[in-house]
Amino acid sequence: MKLTLKIWRQKNAQDKGGIVDYPIDGIEPDMSFLEMLDVLNEQLINKGEEPVAFDHDCREGICGMCSLFINGEAHGPDRGVTTCQLHMRMFKDGDTIFIEPFRAKAFPVIKDLVVDRSSFDRIQHAGGFISVNTSGNTIDANTIPINKHDADKSFDAAACIGCGACVATCKNSSAMLFVSAKVSQYALLPQGKVEAVDRVLNMVHQMDLEGFGNCTNTGACEVECPKGISLENIARMNREYLSASLKG
Amino acid sequence: MALDSKIPHGPISDKWTDYKDHINLVNPANKRNLDIIIVGTGLAGGSAAATLAEQGYNVKAFCFQDSPRRAHSIAAQGGINAAKNYKGDGDSVYRLFYDTVKGGDYRAREANVHRLAEVSANIIDQCVAQGVPLAREYGGLLDNRSFGGTLVSRTFYAQGQTGQQLLLGAYSAMNRQIGRGKIKMYNRHEMLDIVIVNGKARGIIARNLITGEIERHSAHAVVVGSGGYGNVFFLSTNAMGSNATAAWKIHKKGAFFANPCYTQIHPTCIPVSGDHQSKLTLMSESLRNDGRIWVPAKQEDAKAIREGKKKATDLSETERDYFLERRYPAFGNLVPRDVASRAAKERCDAGFGVNKTGEAVYLDFAAAIKRYGTEEAFVKGLDANDAALVTKLGAEIVKSKYGNLFQMYYKIVDEDPYTTPMMIYPAVHYTMGGTWVDYNLMTTIPGCFSIGESNFSDHGANRLGASALMQGLADGYFVLPYTIGDYLAPDIKMGEISTDLPEFVAAEKEVKDQIDRFINNKGTHSVDYFHKKLGKIMWDKVGMARNAKGLTEAIEEIAALREEFYKDVKVPGSANEFNQELEKATRVADFLELGELFAKDALHRNESCGGHFREEYQTEEGEALRDDENFAYVAAWEYKGKPSDAVLHKEPLVYENIKLVQRSYK
Ligand SMILES: Cc1cc2nc3c(=O)[nH]c(=O)nc-3n(C[C@H](O)[C@H](O)[C@H](O)COP(=O)(O)OP(=O)(O)OC[C@H]3O[C@@H](n4cnc5c(N)ncnc54)[C@H](O)[C@@H]3O)c2cc1C
Ligand code: SF4
Ligand code: FES
């Protein structure tokens, strides 16, 4: 396949940045999107130019490290996948592809396509945990039976990979889907109930401090989320938040 | 220097308890005067960081990703073992211990493995208390499944994302401590050297990957939990960033490197599709619970399939060779990984491979779909003779068990595994070798510890499924927190260690010099160019089967490639910025040394065992032929300037509780 890539290049956080065109040839439909970029980078290095910086690690859709805004969509045109799982068979010979970083005030650009998502970590520091000691001197796991339905729902929420596609997709740059996924995981488990009130208040507070926007229930996040995290979680978080505020 | 494994005396089942009863403890008030550096925040490093911080130590944790949550442990799919006997199928601490020692082909240290089996049950309790959503049965109790190499169901799981959930559990425990200020987290930082003062590990040199700044960090002890080195093969199931640098740098400063040649090749990976390939994707071994592995019985059918003239579904049951079920009737598709991998290679080498390159076998779910579908039809009172209905019901069950794996396969291969069998082939997966550690998990550098996949200790020559996650969390949550205290107890009056010491200055200079050398090198080839070449030598000559001739060649070729690399590598950009090519260059430089030691170790070990298969040493039936008389030891290599000069030290392995027998899965 022959393609024209229009890639955002930005030397560092201070640089203004802009789109640069890169024609590329010999791309196979079997390649992943990131392998296509590897091919481009190899060519750039051989020509003495600087390769395009982009984040990635596991390349199997689980670490949440890869990002990329492709033709105006977080993780590109395919559904239910991350950028590393996107394959070139989704594109046609001769296509022009726009490749940009995830854009949000709370995700400053580090270089080219790499953004800083540590705001997500800081939200977790504020309450994304259950306060138990890690000594192993706890009760036998089977003495906390959990209804399979709840356990599965909790798991579904816990499957969030923290990629930030929801934020990048949202016109308000809201982090509600991400935060609600963690709140839900614990809210659905008996272990998480004890500090549920503090958790939701603290996490939401930190989310606001980080500069994420508000949720206006557009639902774009759910559509672009590679892990199918459901909007139901946002509703659950709102309930938790409301009742916590009343108690608080 | 003599190796002292410090295995406590006494009966195996009392060793750990007795040890804990007699070690030195650090008073909680003194713990806050002690700093611990932890390199790596995977299951091992993350759980250690959280626990040590909770105990009161000042922890500085490092990872090269942008968040601890992204460590490679996140990718583990299948599950984690624990001797809980919830199923009542005869599991026990002893049985887990026994299976692990046997599965490791009697090249693991008994005392460590027993300790691992002992604490395994606590791991599950701990994780559940932390809110890890492990799979449940309808009654609300935890579910289990079975894994290769064992006859009991002792594996706990969270769909096909067990590593993810366990890591997020450790990450959440870390978050709690980060929020309290007890852990200082350094994301996007790479350790590039260790600093040794008066013979003790006292700090590290790290590069801030965003700014390029070289930083000095001091501590009273350094813990390395940097994961495995499978990426020395370039293509592996490891994440792209996984590397050997931390482990290799401590090796160069005095930590012995043990059993580098023990590498696990995992049987169920998606086969290579072309030259562009950047990594290989694992299909969890749990699939072997329900998938049957086969190739065509006749070569001409295999050929027709390769040429696209026939499809898998065209072959009837009798035209298929279920080679694992045929060769190993007792374990069938659930034989351990080394056995399954070699059997697949053997069939493909003999001309029965089923993809274009002839390097793939089938993993077929048709029988499971039918079995589950029929059962479900009965349960629901529907017509079990309605084939379409049965298939639909069966596919739903299979989906609930392995849905995400099937989707992953579909996205990569563009074929639907519900209707056509998956194609799989073995790939490099896990490294059982690593830094040598004693019972305390301390390396041969005092004050430098190594945990999780980066150490060598618990798996022997082969790793059974679901045991690496167990070891990572055991080391981090339950073992290191005791043993490190014993080491640190005499250090309580030491005070903070200055980073102005000459040892820090010297180590920093070494790191800066290497970086400058790369940046100023006016070479012609990219880092990947060399990495791929190294990977090819490794796979061809040091891969699934090895022989003396190939290994001797590999040693020379790797040394030559290393020389070429330093002359001809091109690293664009500068040192003082975010520079991913530079990151790769420092990692590949270390792989180019490690690869040679790896081949040297494989060459000296004149036997086959577990993941190390020497073609010269096999039984008439083509099974691995171990030599316990001469090789029942850990090979621990001491660095002496270059890999070829490394000196071998042997830690004899003593089996007091388990009799050494030939491993058989027939
Ligand atoms: C695809 C896949 C599936 C698997 N499935 C299973 C399974 O089902 N069951 C099982 O038991 N095991 C499984 N394993 C094996 C298991 O996942 C790993 O062995 C285990 O997670 C390793 O954990 P770790 O903490 O030792 O290292 P890792 O999780 O690899 O963590 C390494 C850490 O070190 C950091 N690091 C490395 N070098 C440096 C440096 N120089 N400076 C700073 N930081 C550094 C990294 O940033 C990272 O935080 C699987 C492995 C793979 C690849
Ligand atoms: S909710 Fe979905 S899109 Fe948002 S961070 Fe999690 S996985 Fe990514
Ligand atoms: S690289 Fe890990 S999710 Fe894409």
Side-chain angles (χ1 to χ4, degrees):
Chain A
M1 292 189 330
K2 217 175 167 152
L3 304 164
T4 306
L5 307 176
K6 290 181 169 290
I7 304 181
W8 183 263
R9 300 303 307 259
Q10 181 175 342
K11 196 129 185 61
N12 50 44
Q14 290 74 44
D15 185 32
K16 231 176 98 235
I19 295 275
V20 179
D21 285 13
Y22 297 97
I24 188 163
D25 200 355
I27 297 304
E28 309 273 340
D30 276 351
M31 289 181 185
S32 72
F33 199 83
L34 299 186
E35 284 168 348
M36 184 275 292
L37 288 179
D38 291 342
V39 172
L40 172 73
N41 277 346
E42 184 78 13
Q43 291 176 2
L44 292 178
I45 295 167
N46 289 339
K47 279 196 289 194
E49 292 176 32
E50 271 209 46
V52 181
F54 61 93
D55 260 335
H56 64 102
D57 198 21
C58 72
R59 292 206 176 186
E60 41 186 82
I62 192 76
C63 73
M65 186 99 177
C66 59
S67 47
L68 301 193
F69 214 57
I70 301 165
N71 286 341
E73 283 183 277
H75 295 306
D78 205 354
R79 284 290 155 266
V81 297
T82 51
T83 300
C84 58
Q85 294 172 301
L86 178 67
H87 279 71
M88 296 312 291
R89 61 179 85 91
M90 292 299 293
F91 299 90
K92 290 193 305 292
D93 190 32
D95 274 0
T96 296
I97 307 175
F98 280 85
I99 311 173
E100 294 166 90
F102 280 3
R103 295 192 193 277
K105 187 165 140 237
F107 290 169
V109 171
I110 292 175
K111 181 176 184 174
D112 295 341
L113 305 169
V114 177
V115 299
D116 179 353
R117 284 169 284 188
S118 45
S119 47
F120 269 14
D121 282 329
R122 289 187 293 272
I123 295 173
Q124 306 276 341
H125 302 163
F129 49 78
I130 290 176
S131 300
V132 288
N133 284 347
T134 51
S135 59
N137 296 324
T138 171
I139 47 176
D140 184 276
N142 259 353
T143 52
I144 319 175
I146 301 172
N147 170 295
K148 181 166 164 52
H149 178 73
D150 289 342
D152 287 352
K153 270 205 148 51
S154 170
F155 172 84
D156 287 344
C160 162
I161 56 173
C163 64
C166 44
V167 174
T169 298
C170 175
K171 63 178 168 43
N172 311 318
S173 296
S174 163
M176 282 288 260
L177 195 62
F178 167 77
V179 180
S180 71
K182 204 70 201 173
V183 167
S184 290
Q185 177 195 341
Y186 293 137
L188 286 158
L189 297 174
Q191 306 92 302
K193 291 268 193 298
V194 185
E195 49 189 336
V197 170
D198 289 342
R199 177 179 308 113
V200 70
L201 293 177
N202 291 341
M203 288 180 81
V204 169
H205 177 64
Q206 187 65 33
M207 174 178 87
D208 292 340
L209 284 183
E210 295 290 346
F212 290 102
N214 279 323
C215 172
T216 50
N217 288 316
T218 332
C221 52
E222 185 186 46
V223 179
E224 295 294 342
C225 170
K227 296 297 153 186
I229 303 298
S230 154
L231 284 178
E232 224 182 273
N233 292 308
I234 296 189
R236 188 177 296 107
M237 175 162 109
N238 284 335
R239 284 199 301 276
E240 291 279 322
Y241 186 76
L242 188 67
S243 78
S245 308
L246 293 176
K247 276 185 209 152
Chain B
M1 176 185 169
L3 283 174
D4 180 1
S5 61
K6 306 224 171 70
I7 299 170
H9 295 291
I12 190 109
S13 49
D14 299 344
K15 282 186 200 290
W16 179 230
T17 311
D18 275 356
Y19 171 93
K20 285 191 292 183
D21 287 346
H22 293 101
I23 49 169
N24 292 314
L25 297 179
V26 181
N27 168 335
N30 286 328
K31 285 188 181 140
R32 53 181 108 91
N33 301 325
L34 292 168
D35 304 327
I36 300 175
I37 283 176
I38 299 184
V39 180
T41 55
L43 283 177
S47 55
T51 308
L52 294 171
E54 181 178 290
Q55 292 188 339
Y57 297 104
N58 299 315
V59 172
K60 305 181 193 178
F62 293 77
C63 73
F64 64 75
Q65 292 93 344
D66 68 333
S67 163
R69 67 174 293 145
R70 309 214 201 276
H72 170 59
S73 296
I74 198 99
Q77 299 170 350
I80 177 166
N81 284 341
K84 274 208 167 272
N85 196 27
Y86 279 163
K87 287 275 178 257
D89 56 2
D91 201 11
S92 64
V93 167
Y94 180 82
R95 198 175 286 275
L96 175 54
F97 161 63
Y98 174 85
D99 284 346
T100 309
V101 170
K102 174 188 170 204
D105 230 346
Y106 308 94
R107 295 293 178 265
R109 196 188 276 152
E110 267 195 346
N112 286 51
V113 178
H114 199 278
R115 174 173 68 189
L116 177 65
E118 280 176 60
V119 303
S120 66
N122 290 358
I123 299 175
I124 302 303
D125 298 340
Q126 181 65 47
C127 293
V128 167
Q130 284 168 221
V132 173
L134 293 168
R136 300 263 163 185
E137 295 174 337
Y138 282 101
L141 303 180
L142 288 160
D143 197 10
N144 290 118
R145 61 185 173 200
S146 58
F147 245 59
T150 56
L151 295 172
V152 290
S153 273
R154 65 162 70 103
T155 308
F156 294 79
Y157 66 101
Q159 286 192 14
Q161 282 127 279
T162 315
Q164 174 190 40
Q165 291 310 319
L166 295 174
L167 183 65
L168 292 182
Y171 167 71
S172 70
M174 281 184 79
N175 283 330
R176 179 167 162 244
Q177 302 303 334
I178 295 172
R180 295 171 63 203
K182 287 305 294 178
I183 296 180
K184 180 129 180 47
M185 185 64 222
Y186 295 87
N187 299 335
R188 292 205 200 258
H189 272 68
E190 182 147 6
M191 165 190 169
L192 292 176
D193 211 349
I194 187 164
V195 180
I196 296 177
V197 181
N198 294 332
K200 289 182 171 178
R202 291 301 192 195
I204 64 168
I205 305 295
R207 180 165 180 270
N208 176 331
L209 300 181
I210 298 180
T211 62
E213 201 180 331
I214 304 298
E215 302 172 357
R216 305 175 193 174
H217 295 275
S218 68
H220 298 87
V222 174
V223 180
V224 173
S226 60
Y229 52 87
N231 276 354
V232 66
F233 285 86
F234 186 73
L235 286 184
S236 82
T237 62
N238 289 4
M240 299 294 286
S242 297
N243 68 90
T245 289
W248 193 252
K249 287 288 160 52
I250 63 172
H251 171 57
K252 290 176 85 163
K253 290 269 166 89
F256 290 2
F257 208 98
N259 300 333
C261 80
Y262 286 164
T263 302
Q264 181 178 77
I265 313 273
H266 195 291
T268 53
C269 300
I270 299 181
V272 178
S273 69
D275 293 336
H276 59 265
Q277 197 107 9
S278 59
K279 74 156 303 202
L280 296 172
T281 303
L282 175 84
M283 289 283 101
S284 166
E285 169 158 54
S286 61
L287 293 174
R288 287 201 276 149
N289 281 327
D290 284 313
R292 296 178 71 195
I293 295 178
W294 62 273
V295 290
K298 292 194 294 264
Q299 274 190 352
E300 61 260 34
D301 281 339
K303 186 158 174 277
I305 286 176
R306 284 199 292 273
E307 289 167 353
K309 290 177 190 148
K310 265 191 180 169
K311 293 200 303 282
T313 42
D314 294 339
L315 300 193
S316 68
E317 192 83 4
T318 51
E319 290 169 314
R320 305 172 175 193
D321 173 17
Y322 295 91
F323 55 93
L324 291 176
E325 297 167 34
R326 168 170 58 81
R327 280 176 67 174
Y328 310 100
F331 281 73
N333 293 299
L334 288 176
V335 290
R337 294 171 178 183
D338 59 320
V339 178
S341 296
R342 270 198 299 281
K345 180 180 189 313
E346 189 276 330
R347 282 295 80 192
C348 291
D349 287 352
F352 295 90
V354 294
N355 69 345
K356 272 188 225 139
T357 61
E359 291 192 319
V361 300
Y362 286 128
L363 177 63
D364 196 341
F365 292 87
I369 289 175
K370 194 162 165 208
R371 190 175 71 239
Y372 286 129
T374 310
E375 203 179 301
E376 193 68 4
F378 274 124
V379 171
K380 294 200 162 134
L382 300 169
D383 180 7
N385 294 317
D386 180 342
L389 176 73
V390 164
T391 306
K392 184 174 156 281
L393 293 173
E396 275 165 18
I397 305 270
V398 167
K399 185 171 182 193
S400 73
K401 294 179 99 166
Y402 313 110
N404 69 314
L405 301 171
F406 276 47
Q407 191 222 15
M408 196 150 93
Y409 182 87
Y410 171 71
K411 291 289 176 190
I412 294 175
V413 183
D414 204 23
E415 268 183 21
D416 175 17
Y418 291 100
T419 52
T420 37
M422 284 184 182
M423 286 180 293
I424 51 160
Y425 198 68
V428 171
H429 182 55
Y430 179 91
T431 46
M432 282 82 67
T435 28
W436 185 88
V437 289
D438 61 18
Y439 188 74
N440 300 326
L441 305 180
M442 190 157 86
T443 68
T444 42
I445 302 173
C448 175
F449 296 77
S450 179
I451 57 177
E453 192 173 340
S454 75
N455 77 23
F456 89 102
S457 71
D458 292 11
H459 305 299
N462 190 40
R463 185 180 81 79
L464 294 180
S467 60
L469 300 181
M470 174 171 65
Q471 188 215 340
L473 290 178
D475 286 0
Y477 282 137
F478 306 133
V479 180
L480 185 76
Y482 284 96
T483 62
I484 205 168
D486 189 49
Y487 170 81
L488 286 171
D491 263 6
I492 48 174
K493 295 221 178 72
M494 175 102 197
E496 203 180 327
I497 292 157
S498 163
T499 53
D500 294 332
L501 293 169
E503 290 84 352
F504 276 91
V505 179
E508 182 186 276
K509 183 171 181 314
E510 247 179 83
V511 166
K512 283 188 166 159
D513 286 351
Q514 192 204 26
I515 287 174
D516 289 343
R517 185 172 169 191
F518 283 131
I519 294 291
N520 296 325
N521 208 35
K522 297 282 169 272
T524 55
H525 289 298
S526 71
V527 178
D528 277 353
Y529 168 89
F530 292 99
H531 196 177
K532 284 182 182 172
K533 279 197 151 184
L534 172 66
K536 186 152 171 41
I537 301 173
M538 294 296 295
W539 183 247
D540 288 348
K541 297 182 172 166
V542 201
M544 235 194 298
R546 307 149 180 182
N547 58 51
K549 180 168 165 286
L551 289 169
T552 314
E553 287 164 8
I555 290 171
E556 281 167 25
E557 287 168 24
I558 295 168
L561 183 65
R562 193 165 61 233
E563 220 169 281
E564 197 192 327
F565 170 78
Y566 279 107
K567 263 197 227 126
D568 203 24
V569 71
K570 170 148 80 180
V571 180
S574 73
N576 308 316
E577 60 170 349
F578 187 83
N579 186 339
Q580 293 174 316
E581 285 299 302
L582 177 60
E583 292 168 29
K584 279 198 260 179
T586 54
R587 293 171 191 164
V588 171
D590 293 330
F591 278 139
L592 281 163
E593 294 183 1
L594 168 65
E596 187 180 333
L597 184 70
F598 190 130
K600 185 177 158 118
D601 183 49
L603 179 62
H604 106 281
R605 190 167 280 277
N606 288 327
E607 65 163 348
S608 291
C609 62
H612 168 66
F613 189 73
R614 278 285 297 276
E615 286 166 354
E616 302 94 324
Y617 307 98
Q618 50 181 306
T619 64
E620 269 170 26
E621 291 160 311
E623 307 294 342
L625 189 61
R626 237 175 38 221
D627 178 356
D628 294 332
E629 192 117 342
N630 296 303
F631 289 96
Y633 61 73
V634 177
W637 298 91
E638 182 182 5
Y639 188 77
K640 291 280 185 189
K642 48 180 189 322
S644 53
D645 296 342
V647 172
L648 176 63
H649 299 261
K650 297 177 184 175
E651 179 199 335
L653 289 167
V654 187
Y655 289 90
E656 290 170 342
N657 299 278
I658 297 182
K659 210 165 105 246
L660 284 93
V661 290
Q662 195 61 34
R663 231 164 31 115
S664 168
Y665 295 90
K666 307 236 168 203

